Amino acid sequence: QVLLVESGGGLVKPGGSLRLSCAASGFTFSEHYMSWIRQAPGKGLEWVSYTSSGGVTKYYTDSVKGRFSISRDNAKNSLYLQMNSLRAEDTAIYYCARKGGFTHGLDHWGQGTLVTVSS
Amino acid sequence: DIRMTQSPSTLSASVGDRVTITCRASQNITSWLAWYQQKPGKVPTLLIYKASILESGVPSRFSGSGFGTEFTLTISSLQPDDFASYYCQQYNSFSWAFGQGTKVEIK
């Protein structure tokens, strides 16, 4: 079955960096767009970034442009999010999710990893 | 960027009620809209994609409609398991976006 497992979250000071990872299994990773979505405590879902199946196309929400970088390693079935210049407002659970197909939505989600930005 | 606005933000309803949630896009997104359900402390799950296609395994009491800028999610007969938050998401443009969510509460 499809499994997405995030790791790399933790407590970091403002201005610091973290690299999130998402290990995928149970499907052909290289055939799917992948995305990061975050949810601040008690708040709604916020789309952060997505990458195309080959990793060439990458898009970001405005608030993270220039600070976050999405990447993937299809040989390792892994998705990454490099987060630099972190701010308190980046505090959230970060989910990786698979886009099911060209017409599909985000059909599988990981359990999430918590990122806390605080001094 | 395309912005998504859901209404209402909170909805109080009883078991058996017909419930409708609206999602409006700031620009034409044709049919590139998905709906998700999220229960407290749980991961979101996909209910509907391409505005009206039911994801496999989702009960048929859920339905979606709309095109362009206005969309609806309808639950035909609310069940106890349906009390949750619901989010729309557009994936038409290069920049995706979620609505702010609608919490369906027990009346």
Side-chain angles (χ1 to χ4, degrees):
Chain A
Q1 77 282 16
V2 173
L3 193 60
L4 299 169
V5 180
E6 302 93 337
S7 61
L11 175 64
V12 62
K13 289 181 168 53
S17 298
L18 275 179
R19 189 194 196 208
L20 305 184
S21 299
C22 173
S25 60
F27 66 102
T28 305
F29 181 71
S30 61
E31 292 182 354
H32 291 266
Y33 280 43
M34 297 294 296
S35 182
W36 289 98
I37 300 97
R38 66 185 180 184
Q39 187 168 35
K43 302 297 183 182
L45 302 172
E46 181 184 23
W47 169 74
V48 175
S49 179
Y50 77 80
T51 179
S52 59
S53 53
V56 174
T57 301
K58 304 174 184 182
Y59 292 98
Y60 304 89
T61 193
D62 283 348
S63 62
V64 309
K65 282 178 186 173
R67 300 189 299 123
F68 290 12
S69 177
I70 191 171
S71 62
R72 63 190 297 162
D73 185 335
N74 286 346
K76 294 183 177 180
N77 292 338
S78 293
L79 178 72
Y80 306 101
L81 186 68
Q82 177 66 43
M83 304 187 296
N84 299 327
S85 302
L86 283 161
R87 306 167 180 167
E89 53 265 35
D90 296 319
T91 294
I93 296 172
Y94 284 74
Y95 299 101
C96 73
R98 183 189 89 162
K99 190 172 186 296
F102 179 72
T103 61
H104 229 91
L106 299 168
D107 64 349
H108 287 88
W109 296 57
Q111 290 299 309
T113 186
L114 177 62
V115 172
T116 304
V117 184
S118 174
S119 55
Chain B
D1 291 353
I2 299 174
R3 296 184 180 274
M4 308 301 293
T5 304
Q6 283 182 238
S7 59
S9 296
T10 306
L11 187 160
S12 295
S14 301
V15 172
D17 283 354
R18 181 180 181 89
V19 166
T20 299
I21 298 168
T22 298
C23 179
R24 289 186 173 87
S26 61
Q27 299 175 36
N28 184 1
I29 59 169
T30 62
S31 297
W32 300 115
L33 185 101
W35 289 97
Y36 302 86
Q37 179 192 65
Q38 187 181 32
K39 297 177 183 177
K42 301 295 185 182
V43 175
T45 59
L46 177 65
L47 297 174
I48 286 168
Y49 62 96
K50 208 165 182 290
S52 62
I53 301 175
L54 203 64
E55 173 70 345
S56 176
V58 173
S60 59
R61 62 181 179 272
F62 291 92
S63 64
S65 64
F67 184 89
T69 61
E70 188 153 336
F71 302 85
T72 59
L73 172 70
T74 299
I75 309 172
S76 60
S77 178
L78 199 66
Q79 298 302 301
D81 193 47
D82 302 337
F83 291 96
S85 293
Y86 294 85
Y87 297 89
C88 61
Q89 180 228 345
Q90 69 83 9
Y91 51 104
N92 173 71
S93 69
F94 300 130
S95 179
W96 297 350
F98 286 91
Q100 81 277 18
T102 295
K103 185 175 182 180
V104 177
E105 299 180 328
I106 300 173
K107 191 172 185 178

